[in-house]
Amino acid sequence: MVSAVIVAGGKGERMGYDIPKQYIDIGGRQILSITLEAFQNCDSIDEIVLVVPEGDIDYCLKNIVEQYSFKKVKKIVKGGSSRQKSVYNGLLDCNPLTDIVVIHDGVRPFISSELIE
């Protein structure tokens, strides 16, 4: 089993936007939805564990995961106080049968299935 841990817990303060950069619109879609779509469409990925700030869990579930029918997103977990802690939280929630884990930044949407493979 291959799990993808997608970490999207940043605030994007350096970007100068009023919203976190994972929710910025690019061509009518939020950046995070574009990133998740790449992993959803990759045949080698069995599950996605999405890591976001605790206050964003419901928002991501309704406005991204359910809206785009990302069936491979099995869990949405709260991030930690640092990127390392957020990745760790995601790893803890991977399926116990996972053999391989790929970790990706949720605000890096231009990834291909070939690169994921």
Side-chain angles (χ1 to χ4, degrees):
M1 175 165 228
V2 179
S3 299
V5 174
I6 309 296
V7 183
K11 296 176 184 166
E13 294 169 341
R14 294 177 303 204
M15 294 278 295
Y17 281 83
D18 293 336
I19 60 171
K21 59 186 170 183
Q22 59 266 33
Y23 308 125
I24 293 172
D25 184 283
I26 294 181
R29 302 253 328 255
Q30 294 176 336
I31 290 175
L32 182 56
S33 73
I34 299 167
T35 301
L36 288 171
E37 184 174 56
F39 286 85
Q40 175 72 36
N41 292 337
C42 182
D43 292 336
S44 293
I45 300 298
D46 298 306
E47 77 165 353
I48 299 169
V49 176
L50 178 58
V51 184
V52 299
E54 185 173 19
D56 292 359
I57 291 174
D58 287 337
Y59 175 85
C60 285
L61 176 64
K62 293 174 186 160
N63 297 292
I64 296 177
V65 175
E66 290 177 353
Q67 180 176 341
Y68 294 100
S69 299
F70 292 134
K71 301 296 184 201
K72 289 185 182 180
V73 176
K74 302 300 182 189
K75 294 186 180 176
I76 304 175
V77 301
K78 72 174 186 166
S81 59
S82 68
R83 179 174 175 81
Q84 288 175 327
K85 290 177 182 174
S86 293
V87 169
Y88 181 72
N89 289 352
L91 290 170
L92 290 176
D93 275 293
C94 286
N95 186 306
L97 301 175
T98 296
D99 297 309
I100 297 171
V101 177
V102 296
I103 299 168
H104 189 72
D105 189 331
V107 296
R108 306 279 184 255
F110 303 115
I111 186 166
S112 65
S113 289
E114 293 79 23
L115 186 56
I116 296 169
E117 297 279 342

